[in-house]
Amino acid sequence: MHSVTPVIAAHDLTKTYTFHQQRAGLGGALKSLVKRKYETRLAVDRVTFSIGQGEVVGLLGPNGAGKTTTLKMLSGLLYTTSGDLQVLGHAPSDRKHDYLRRIALVMGQKTMLWWDVPAMESLLLHKDMYGLSTAEFDRNVAELAELLEVEHLLNVQVRKTSLGERMKLELMAALVHGPEILFLDEPTIGLDVVAKARVRSFLADVNRVRGTTILITSHDMDDIEALCSRVMIIDHGRLQFDGGLDELVRTARPRKLVRATYATTVDAVRLSGLDGVTAVDVSGQQVALEADREQAGAVMEHLTRLGPLVDLDVSDADIEDIMRDLFLRRSTLGDLS
Amino acid sequence: MSTLARNLRVVRRMTAADIAQQSVYRGAWIIFMLANITMPIISLLIWRTALASGAQLPVDERYITTYFVLLGFVTMATSSWMAGFLAQDIRLGKLSSWMVRPASLLTGFVANNLSEKFLKLFALVPMIGIVWWIFRDSMTIPAGPGRWALFAISLLLGAMLVFTIDILIASLAFWMDDVSALVQARVIVASVLSGAVVPLALMPSWSKGFVDHQPFRYTVSFPVEIVAGQLTGHELLVGLGIQLGYVVVFAAIARLVWSAGIRAYSAVGA
């Protein structure tokens, strides 16, 4: 996974914030005028990783875990407090022209587009900013507009477009110069299911056709499952897991979920004492249980003998459930990596 | 393409887009410009009345009239209103979406400044033309294009000076939660020391040394003095030199503070 030349290399990446605390109310405000109490918060703590060209990596973690701070350092918005960071051979915080023209950042809750004029005005601005030739610009606009199905929106005032349409236009503005790396911060936030699906398939196309490296933060596990072959989990500022999504599932929830439906009611007693089986739940004609991977075959065979089988389903644990458990526990992820 | 050429293309594109966006608010420009010209005209009438009543002033009626007729135009041409907006962009993290794009962060504010001035000129120039025509017999009009050329240069330098002072104040938002009090303080101090309320020629004689050399004089009063006053050639050159010096010094300080500020930028918000 990491054998290709890394386009992003972070070593002991650390970021601390200093801020002052102020108690609520007039008393607190007056007190803070005279004496301020400053605190330092460690947002990202000695994170080390590398990302190869063309990878699509999901950066996951609960709110306040440090993932957006990491993304901001990678895109050059924030200076690192310590550690080494190289993206496309540049220190991002230098914000050199050669670096900025090769990346793009899309923030789901911040816009790059001018609101009072059509999106085409913002695209033309990018044409000048990134020094694109007219032919290159026209070709990219036509290709992206077709992929995103927004040809009819390019000359409409941005403020008159829906949230989903606006996100597509944001993506278009971010990609019109053909960046090598795309940083995405919650790109599907607030979108309906149709728009989310469209955005996901577009991003997958961009990665496949253009070879664009994508680093994405999202709380929507469907985004991650649809796009990412690799995930990095950050919690309390530390990188707790870095690996494939399937590896995460196997490590965090090594057991298979087995669900069986019968034509008649099942006797729960006949399920007791099975090797490698836990969390048995029998409800009328339904049976749900968790089985060790190695025992899954034997368990299924046993289930076929319990009664007239209508349906049998075996799956890994739902990634959403895994993440919820991990974030709730917020403790044992270190064992996974 | 060089960085300067690219930034100029970006400014041109942004100015055009800004004009397109702001021309929606045509009515607002006329009201703004009426307000802009009303105060100087009221002041003009007050000072002319004082002169007619025998007040002993160090300047004559022609100076006062020319000064106040030009004042609205010069104030508008050299003004900048970006400090509050830029400080807000810094505080709320809105700067982020510009920081990841390869253009100077100030291009947007330069374009906004140029586009608003372009639009305001349409409303202001006819108004000043009418006032000029009404008081045409009491005004000093420099002979030859030389003074007008120097006036234009001084106007440009004045605009740059106000802009750099604005950047300097807004940059403090990298460290301070709210700079609106500072912005307001600058407006009050500048309105007095720039000559926008009372011509600096009417300031007490004991304050002359300070008033004549402080930077705010070069944002409004000095360009007006080039047309209205009796500045000698020597005074003109020295004045332009000081004005240029202030632009360079403030630009250097603003750049230093801005660079330090960017390091402290916290990019608030997702």
Side-chain angles (χ1 to χ4, degrees):
Chain A
M1 182 182 299
H2 307 265
S3 57
V4 283
T5 314
V7 287
I8 300 175
H11 183 73
D12 280 348
L13 191 61
T14 301
K15 179 68 185 178
T16 56
Y17 289 114
T18 302
F19 57 96
H20 75 264
Q21 284 202 326
Q22 180 180 313
R23 275 181 31 222
L26 183 62
L30 291 174
K31 204 172 169 186
S32 82
L33 276 178
V34 184
K35 190 180 178 186
R36 288 196 170 175
K37 188 180 170 193
Y38 286 91
E39 283 197 12
T40 300
R41 185 176 158 235
L42 189 59
V44 175
D45 185 10
R46 291 166 290 152
V47 166
T48 298
F49 62 89
S50 67
I51 294 175
Q53 199 261 321
E55 278 196 87
V56 183
V57 180
L59 197 53
L60 309 178
N63 289 330
K67 55 189 190 304
T68 301
T69 300
T70 303
L71 207 61
K72 285 174 181 171
M73 284 191 282
L74 295 176
S75 56
L77 288 178
L78 293 179
Y79 275 73
T80 59
T81 303
S82 65
D84 295 322
L85 178 61
Q86 289 280 307
V87 183
L88 295 168
H90 290 273
S93 55
D94 289 348
R95 296 179 42 249
K96 297 275 187 210
H97 177 259
D98 181 60
Y99 173 67
L100 294 177
R101 73 176 178 78
R102 295 167 69 190
I103 65 153
L105 169 69
V106 176
M107 292 172 280
Q109 302 189 64
K110 285 211 165 69
T111 182
M112 275 196 294
L113 303 168
W114 281 315
W115 274 59
D116 290 322
V117 290
M120 186 50 96
E121 292 280 359
S122 297
L123 295 175
L124 286 167
L125 173 69
H126 282 199
K127 176 178 181 274
D128 288 337
M129 262 186 187
Y130 293 98
L132 303 177
S133 69
T134 302
E136 191 181 4
F137 175 77
D138 289 346
R139 190 177 61 244
N140 284 354
V141 166
E143 183 190 320
L144 292 168
E146 191 188 339
L147 272 171
L148 284 161
E149 298 168 0
V150 291
E151 293 101 328
H152 61 295
L153 296 172
L154 295 180
N155 291 307
V156 175
Q157 256 189 326
V158 172
R159 65 191 307 164
K160 291 184 177 149
T161 57
S162 70
L163 187 62
E165 290 170 338
R166 206 150 57 237
M167 180 45 73
K168 289 185 197 173
L169 293 168
E170 288 282 349
L171 284 169
M172 190 166 172
L175 289 162
V176 75
H177 64 286
E180 292 167 49
I181 300 181
L182 178 60
F183 298 109
L184 297 163
D185 191 19
E186 299 284 355
T188 60
I189 196 163
L191 303 190
D192 64 38
V193 284
V194 178
K196 278 183 180 181
R198 184 71 231 142
V199 167
R200 282 178 201 134
S201 81
F202 169 74
L203 291 172
D205 282 349
V206 165
N207 170 255
R208 186 174 45 79
V209 176
R210 300 184 171 202
T212 308
T213 307
I214 298 177
L215 186 59
I216 178 172
T217 78
S218 179
H219 283 113
D220 189 327
M221 287 307 130
D222 290 339
D223 287 350
I224 302 301
E225 281 189 282
L227 291 168
C228 307
S229 52
R230 174 183 167 196
V231 292
M232 295 195 295
I233 298 177
I234 293 194
D235 197 12
H236 290 96
R238 301 295 304 271
L239 183 61
Q240 308 280 13
F241 176 83
D242 182 356
L245 202 54
D246 49 351
E247 188 187 340
L248 173 68
V249 173
R250 271 202 312 275
T251 323
R253 284 276 191 90
R255 306 164 81 77
K256 288 274 187 185
L257 293 179
V258 184
R259 293 184 190 85
T261 307
Y262 295 90
T264 56
T265 306
V266 177
D267 181 7
V269 180
R270 295 180 63 194
L271 280 163
S272 58
L274 274 176
D275 276 349
V277 170
T278 54
V280 178
D281 179 30
V282 180
S283 172
Q285 294 154 259
Q286 311 277 335
V287 173
L289 54 81
E290 288 187 14
D292 287 349
R293 276 170 196 276
E294 302 75 37
Q295 300 293 331
V299 170
M300 284 164 67
E301 197 183 328
H302 183 78
L303 287 175
T304 58
R305 295 196 298 266
L306 276 187
L309 198 58
V310 176
D311 187 31
L312 184 62
D313 176 58
V314 184
S315 62
D316 279 319
D318 188 56
I319 188 73
E320 192 104 28
D321 292 340
I322 293 175
M323 297 311 290
R324 189 177 54 240
D325 283 0
L326 293 178
F327 295 168
L328 278 173
R329 279 189 283 148
R330 303 192 85 169
S331 58
T332 57
L333 277 165
D335 303 336
L336 303 175
S337 52
Chain B
M1 197 188 296
S2 74
T3 305
L4 180 64
R6 198 178 51 252
N7 278 326
L8 284 176
R9 283 178 70 127
V10 171
V11 167
R12 194 188 61 186
R13 176 75 66 189
M14 290 175 115
T15 306
D18 253 1
I19 289 172
Q21 291 185 73
Q22 291 169 17
S23 52
V24 176
Y25 311 108
R26 287 174 302 182
W29 296 134
I30 293 171
I31 293 167
F32 282 148
M33 291 306 97
L34 270 174
N36 200 301
I37 203 169
T38 301
M39 280 306 291
I41 290 172
I42 292 171
S43 297
L44 170 62
L45 296 175
I46 290 170
W47 287 108
R48 280 172 68 97
T49 306
L51 280 167
S53 307
Q56 296 298 308
L57 301 178
V59 290
D60 60 14
E61 189 191 56
R62 297 186 80 82
Y63 181 94
I64 287 287
T65 308
T66 313
Y67 190 95
F68 281 111
V69 169
L70 278 180
L71 187 61
F73 174 76
V74 172
T75 309
M76 186 277 291
T78 61
S79 63
S80 167
W81 40 89
M82 68 174 271
F85 294 110
L86 178 53
Q88 184 172 298
D89 282 2
I90 293 168
R91 196 162 62 89
L92 301 179
K94 289 182 183 172
L95 208 58
S96 301
S97 72
W98 293 106
M99 283 179 69
V100 291
R101 289 184 266 184
S104 165
L105 293 174
L106 295 175
T107 50
F109 289 100
V110 171
N112 177 267
N113 194 291
L114 293 177
S115 62
E116 286 208 17
K117 283 175 181 171
F118 177 80
L119 285 168
K120 284 173 177 175
L121 276 175
F122 276 104
L124 189 63
V125 167
M127 293 185 202
I128 289 177
I130 293 168
V131 178
W132 187 299
W133 186 80
I134 292 169
F135 293 104
R136 64 191 181 283
D137 293 335
S138 318
M139 289 185 56
T140 306
I141 298 167
R147 287 247 160 177
W148 288 112
L150 290 177
F151 171 70
I153 293 168
S154 178
L155 212 57
L156 182 67
L157 289 173
M160 290 166 72
L161 182 54
V162 176
F163 197 75
T164 50
I165 291 172
D166 256 19
I167 296 169
L168 185 57
I169 292 172
S171 299
L172 298 175
F174 284 116
W175 298 276
M176 298 167 71
D177 286 341
D178 189 3
V179 296
S180 56
L182 272 176
V183 173
Q184 193 57 31
R186 187 199 62 102
V187 169
I188 294 167
V189 170
S191 63
V192 175
L193 293 181
S194 69
V197 175
V198 177
L200 297 182
L202 302 180
M203 289 287 188
S205 53
W206 54 263
S207 67
K208 280 289 174 196
F210 166 71
V211 165
D212 285 352
H213 293 96
Q214 47 83 27
F216 292 109
R217 177 191 173 207
Y218 296 90
T219 62
V220 174
S221 179
F222 183 69
V224 181
E225 287 170 38
I226 292 176
V227 176
Q230 290 89 36
L231 295 175
T232 63
H234 175 72
E235 286 169 328
L236 255 173
L237 286 178
V238 170
L240 280 171
I242 293 174
Q243 194 180 24
L244 180 63
Y246 271 130
V247 171
V248 172
V249 167
F250 273 97
I253 297 172
R255 189 182 168 83
L256 268 178
V257 175
W258 177 265
S259 303
I262 285 285
R263 296 187 72 91
Y265 181 57
S266 56
V268 170

